[in-house]
Amino acid sequence: MLPKVWGFQQEATSENDYKQYKGEVVDQSSNKPLVFATLTVEGTNITTITNTEGSFLLKVPKNMTEGNVVVSFLGYQSKNVPLAQLKPAKNTITLLVSVMQLSEVNINAPKDAAALVRETLARKGDNYFDDPTLMTAFYRETIKKRRKNVSLSEAVVNIYKSPYSSVRQDAVELYKARKSTDYSKLDTVALKLQGGPFNTLYVDIMKYPEYIFSDGSIANYKFTFDRSTRINDRLIFVIKFDQLETINEPLYKGELFIDVENRTLTSAIYTLNITDKVKAAKLFVRRKPAKVDVWPTEVAYRVDYREKNGKWYYGYSNVFLEFKVDWEDKLFNSVYSMTAEMAVTDWEKNVTGNLPKNRERLKKSIILSDEAIGFSDPDFWGEYNIIEPEKSIESAIKKIQRQLRRAKPKGGSAAAAR
């Protein structure tokens, strides 16, 4: 557990310690929800993002009455919204598309896409955090059978982030977590996600390029310029990449969003090429029953970075995995999907450079749904910023809490969900 010396993120003791604002971020013209838009309280490191439905939940200390919330989204003009104008619920924040001038595209335009990617990776020590950093992050993972939630785990974790120029890996410490799993819907297959928060942390390409662009494998890709866009009034080049046709191993394809002036990766969206399902299955399936085939049908990743005072840092990532489970003695197969996402909601410099003791660190083999307990308390997260649940997840949470209330023994407390 965290020592109580943390000054910037202490656990709330009552609802009166913080204020919360709910709402959505949308395109001003089409009213289309903007997914994974970033909201940051100006002058602080408090931040959150919108979910896949464009909704957000932002919590700030109650004594913070002035200042602005900066709302930003790739390809749109950023907007400053005064805290005083936000209501507790039903806020709608609209953003305007950032219009590109043709002359802008030609300024400092590089000629070689592959060379730009190599230079960007090489400059991580210049453009990204160069101090040890202590981050608070919210992590959620879900397992669905087709469209029904069968497992839901959430956690607040502490990330001891080492400098981007360092080869030392990050350490993760579990602060608070809850989970619920309906094993009756899992076809007797205990489908679990191994690695927990590390699945999302390792999507930080600039810290862990070896998982996608190692020194040896970057030559196995073809890089091409696609288009240009803007974020926070900065020119961003979009570079498409895909593995060469001569490469047989399953690699990746997707888009890299690079700040042209500073050679900084601001976002990446990519998928695994599943050309050989047997080889792809070996990458993800650890154990399975003898009479069942399990293989991935889709594996997708996303990472977004944020900037403060000229330095960039890991802000959000998600992983989506879809599997087919085919039983030898059943006519129809089952389709399962796993989603893991993590958002940094606060951070400060780790001035002492201290790391958690080994016994307090999360192991990379962790299965969060086996570790976490609880779900009965609707105010479980207190003042911590979390990713607003999507409607399907919100419905699942309410259903879990109803079941726990019904199961509550007279004169006792609700049993922990396990």
Side-chain angles (χ1 to χ4, degrees):
M1 296 289 289
L2 260 184
K4 291 301 180 185
V5 295
W6 263 36
F8 72 99
Q9 189 71 299
Q10 292 181 334
E11 187 173 359
T13 55
S14 73
E15 288 186 19
N16 295 327
D17 293 334
Y18 65 91
K19 294 181 294 185
Q20 70 176 30
Y21 306 96
K22 286 188 175 185
E24 61 179 354
V25 180
V26 300
D27 180 294
Q28 183 166 307
S29 299
S30 66
N31 213 37
K32 177 183 176 182
L34 298 182
V35 177
F36 308 138
T38 299
L39 297 93
T40 303
V41 181
E42 193 173 34
T44 76
N45 300 324
I46 300 172
T47 186
T48 191
I49 67 160
T50 60
N51 64 14
T52 59
E53 295 164 344
S55 300
F56 69 85
L57 171 63
L58 177 65
K59 299 179 183 180
V60 300
K62 192 172 184 179
N63 59 8
M64 189 179 293
T65 57
E66 298 182 353
N68 296 317
V69 176
V70 182
V71 187
S72 58
F73 187 76
L74 188 67
Y76 286 74
Q77 297 176 22
S78 298
K79 176 180 279 189
N80 287 5
V81 181
L83 268 172
Q85 291 183 9
L86 289 176
K87 301 182 289 291
K90 295 184 178 179
N91 296 282
T92 299
I93 300 173
T94 60
L95 297 185
L96 271 172
V97 172
S98 182
V99 179
M100 291 293 302
Q101 300 294 329
L102 187 61
S103 59
E104 290 181 290
V105 179
N106 295 321
I107 297 175
N108 297 325
K111 307 301 181 186
D112 186 335
L116 177 59
V117 172
R118 287 191 177 92
E119 184 181 357
T120 299
L121 293 173
R123 292 185 60 177
K124 64 181 181 179
D126 300 327
N127 294 331
Y128 294 80
F129 276 5
D130 51 6
D131 292 309
T133 310
L134 190 54
M135 294 177 164
T136 302
F138 176 75
Y139 173 78
R140 176 186 287 132
E141 64 182 45
T142 60
I143 300 177
K144 292 184 179 183
K145 181 182 178 182
R146 298 200 183 275
R147 295 187 178 182
K148 292 184 178 180
N149 286 291
V150 295
S151 181
L152 173 61
S153 304
E154 299 178 324
V156 168
V157 296
N158 310 314
I159 304 173
Y160 292 75
K161 194 85 174 156
S162 64
Y164 276 81
S165 56
S166 169
V167 296
R168 173 182 287 178
Q169 294 205 340
D170 304 325
V172 181
E173 184 180 32
L174 183 65
Y175 179 59
K176 197 174 188 183
R178 66 181 186 177
K179 69 97 181 188
S180 180
T181 302
D182 187 350
Y183 288 108
S184 66
K185 296 179 180 177
L186 283 174
D187 285 345
T188 72
V189 175
L191 200 65
K192 298 178 180 181
L193 182 62
Q194 187 176 27
F198 290 101
N199 288 295
T200 47
L201 188 60
Y202 290 158
V203 184
D204 181 355
I205 293 177
M206 296 306 298
K207 179 62 179 175
Y208 302 101
E210 63 270 21
Y211 290 116
I212 177 171
F213 295 134
S214 63
D215 291 339
S217 71
I218 198 167
N220 295 331
Y221 289 94
K222 178 182 179 181
F223 298 91
T224 56
F225 290 109
D226 182 51
R227 64 189 187 280
S228 300
T229 184
R230 298 185 73 84
I231 185 170
N232 296 336
D233 298 322
R234 302 190 68 85
L235 180 62
I236 305 294
F237 268 59
V238 182
I239 295 180
K240 284 188 174 294
F241 65 95
D242 201 348
Q243 69 186 82
L244 299 173
E245 294 180 358
T246 54
I247 305 301
N248 296 321
E249 295 300 314
L251 296 179
Y252 302 92
K253 65 178 176 181
E255 296 179 329
L256 304 173
F257 297 80
I258 296 178
D259 180 319
V260 180
E261 182 179 352
N262 295 322
R263 304 302 197 255
T264 307
L265 181 71
T266 63
S267 295
I269 303 171
Y270 55 103
T271 60
L272 180 72
N273 287 323
I274 305 178
T275 52
D276 187 323
K277 67 180 185 181
V278 175
K279 287 183 178 179
K282 290 179 179 178
L283 294 174
F284 296 97
V285 181
R286 292 289 180 263
R287 294 193 304 271
K288 65 178 183 64
K291 292 186 177 182
V292 64
D293 287 325
V294 182
W295 64 88
T297 55
E298 183 179 354
V299 181
Y301 303 88
R302 178 191 183 101
V303 61
D304 294 323
Y305 295 90
R306 300 174 186 146
E307 180 266 341
K308 185 169 186 181
N309 298 329
K311 293 288 186 178
W312 291 76
Y313 65 98
Y314 163 75
Y316 173 79
S317 63
N318 67 37
V319 181
F320 175 81
L321 303 100
E322 185 180 79
F323 292 90
K324 276 192 176 180
V325 179
D326 190 5
W327 289 88
E328 187 179 292
D329 55 354
K330 290 187 179 181
L331 183 60
F332 300 104
N333 55 33
S334 300
V335 177
Y336 292 93
S337 62
M338 295 178 168
T339 302
E341 61 179 338
M342 185 160 66
V344 172
T345 57
D346 209 340
W347 59 267
E348 67 175 7
K349 287 185 180 181
N350 187 358
V351 179
T352 63
N354 290 340
L355 296 172
K357 296 177 180 178
N358 286 334
R359 66 175 180 272
E360 296 171 344
R361 297 187 188 198
L362 285 186
K363 294 182 172 59
K364 296 171 187 175
S365 58
I366 184 177
I367 296 174
L368 186 62
S369 60
D370 287 349
E371 298 287 331
I373 60 172
F375 237 109
S376 57
D377 180 7
D379 299 315
F380 184 78
W381 295 119
E383 69 174 344
Y384 286 96
N385 272 298
I386 66 170
I387 302 170
E388 178 78 335
E390 301 162 12
K391 289 184 176 63
S392 64
I393 294 176
E394 191 173 33
S395 297
I397 290 173
K398 289 178 179 178
K399 182 180 179 181
I400 293 165
Q401 290 171 342
R402 284 197 302 269
Q403 291 171 340
L404 289 170
R405 283 197 296 269
R406 285 199 296 268
K408 184 177 179 180
K410 292 182 179 180
S413 58
R418 289 189 180 274

